[in-house]
Structure formats: C-alpha cells, structure tokens
Amino acid sequence: MGFDKGVQSVGKAKTRFRKAPKTENVYIKLLVKLYRFLARRTESKFNSVVLKRLFMSRTNRPPVSIAKLAKEMTGKANKVAVVVGTITNDVRLLDDTKLKLTVCCLRATDTARARIVAAGGEVITFDQLALRAPTGSNCVLLRGALKAREVYKHFGRAPGVPHSSTKPYTRNSTKSRKFESARGRRGSCGYKV
C-alpha cells in the first residue's frame, strides 16, 4: 500500500528549495545556465553555492554595504569579494582607501560603484568571474544580514505578553508613541508585565 503524495505526513516532509529561478530576467537565467554547467563539471562547492543563491528570492539575497565589504576584506588584498546580490553605499564609511578591492556582484548602486572605482578597485560581473576563477579560488563569498529587515522586529512572542520584546503593529509605527504603552506596560496603569 502506498501513501498519498499530496499530503505530507510527519517524517515524509522534505526540505524544499528552488531548483530554478522564478525571475524572468534573462541575464539571471544566463548566469544560471553558466553556473549550472560549472557546478556539474567542477568539483567546486563554490559554484554550487553561487548557483543556489542565484535561485533565491530577493528577500533571501539581502544587500551588503561597502562598509561591511571593507571590514570583511581587511587583510585579503588579492582576493575577490563575491556577493550574490546588491552592494550598497554607506555614508558612515569615511576611509575610501579600504575600497581598493575586486568585487563581483549581481548589482551595485551608482554611488557604491563610483566609490569602489575611485579608490582603485573594480566591480566585475559573474560571467567575468567565471573566466577568472572557474572554481572560485581566491574568492570570498559574502552575504548581507537576512534578519536586518524591519519586518523581523514584529516576529516572535506576541507584543504585550511577559518577556516579549516584539514590536507591535500600530496605526502609525513611526509616530506611535502613545499606542500599546500604557495598561500592562506600567504599574501605574492597571498592571505591568
């Protein structure tokens, strides 16, 4: 007797991830074609990781700032920083000399690209990287902080229950000083949790 494939019972649920990109972007599709070939024909784990990240949704490809790039690449002068996503500018980074790097990314904002190039670095694409380092040798694979999105502040224990630091959804979250901050939040108003 078989089991119903439509219903995933306990123990039969599999980890699911994308096997192909959902995007209609032809350039991403060409990169997938290239890295699918490289992942199959080389023993390199780097290529299979890049391929898997090319499939990911935009929320799972968080941006990397040039400040994080500079911090992660200190002491790795002759290596290539690889980001499967966007590289963004950071006005808090004042020392542009740290940006003399070779960076490979899907996209760089105009200001980030200008600052890297002005510092003597270069921004290359993934097809150029495949020619330079087909196995990913001398490459540092980086990614941004996934949980940095504002929406993650609202996840967790319900706001207002004991030991919860979850942010409530209020009428105007930027200016909501007076909402959900009285009864249950201070001893003078009923009780405090």
Side-chain angles (χ1 to χ4, degrees):
M1 178 186 151
F3 64 91
D4 185 3
K5 296 282 276 191
V7 179
Q8 289 293 332
S9 57
V10 177
K12 297 199 169 57
K14 293 182 177 65
T15 306
R16 282 172 173 77
F17 56 89
R18 288 183 181 181
K19 302 290 195 295
K22 269 195 175 180
T23 179
E24 293 299 306
N25 187 330
V26 288
Y27 299 107
I28 297 281
K29 285 183 172 181
L30 283 169
L31 286 180
V32 164
K33 213 174 218 184
L34 169 65
Y35 274 89
R36 204 168 246 152
F37 171 80
L38 288 172
R40 190 178 77 245
R41 293 295 296 269
T42 62
E43 296 290 309
S44 165
K45 181 114 189 287
F46 173 86
N47 289 327
S48 50
V49 172
V50 168
L51 178 66
K52 193 168 131 185
R53 289 189 191 177
L54 284 169
F55 297 158
M56 287 182 180
S57 62
R58 207 168 120 193
T59 53
N60 286 322
R61 288 188 281 108
V64 177
S65 73
I66 55 172
K68 184 180 167 88
L69 207 61
K71 184 180 156 208
E72 296 290 335
M73 296 302 288
T74 45
K76 299 171 186 168
N78 54 351
K79 292 187 186 286
V80 181
V82 181
V83 177
V84 186
T86 307
I87 290 175
T88 54
N89 186 36
D90 194 342
V91 291
R92 297 167 297 183
L93 181 73
L94 304 173
D95 186 12
D96 277 11
T97 55
K98 294 177 181 173
L99 295 174
K100 193 178 179 183
L101 306 163
T102 303
V103 182
C104 174
C105 60
L106 286 178
R107 179 176 165 270
T109 61
D110 291 341
T111 41
R113 186 186 295 272
R115 284 181 75 177
I116 291 166
V117 171
E122 61 173 338
V123 181
I124 63 170
T125 55
F126 275 93
D127 51 323
Q128 290 170 312
L129 180 74
L131 291 171
R132 289 192 198 185
T135 58
S137 54
N138 289 326
C139 291
V140 180
L141 196 56
L142 302 170
R143 58 175 161 183
L146 183 68
K147 300 286 176 84
R149 278 171 65 221
E150 200 274 340
V151 73
Y152 282 98
K153 291 180 183 177
H154 298 282
F155 298 161
R157 288 176 66 93
V161 302
H163 313 299
S164 165
S165 58
T166 307
K167 188 176 182 179
Y169 283 112
T170 52
R171 275 165 268 188
N172 186 344
S173 57
T174 52
K175 296 181 194 156
S176 55
R177 172 192 55 80
K178 61 186 181 182
F179 305 123
E180 301 197 22
S181 61
R183 189 169 186 275
R185 301 298 293 160
R186 60 195 71 245
S188 61
C189 300
Y191 66 98
K192 177 163 176 20
V193 291

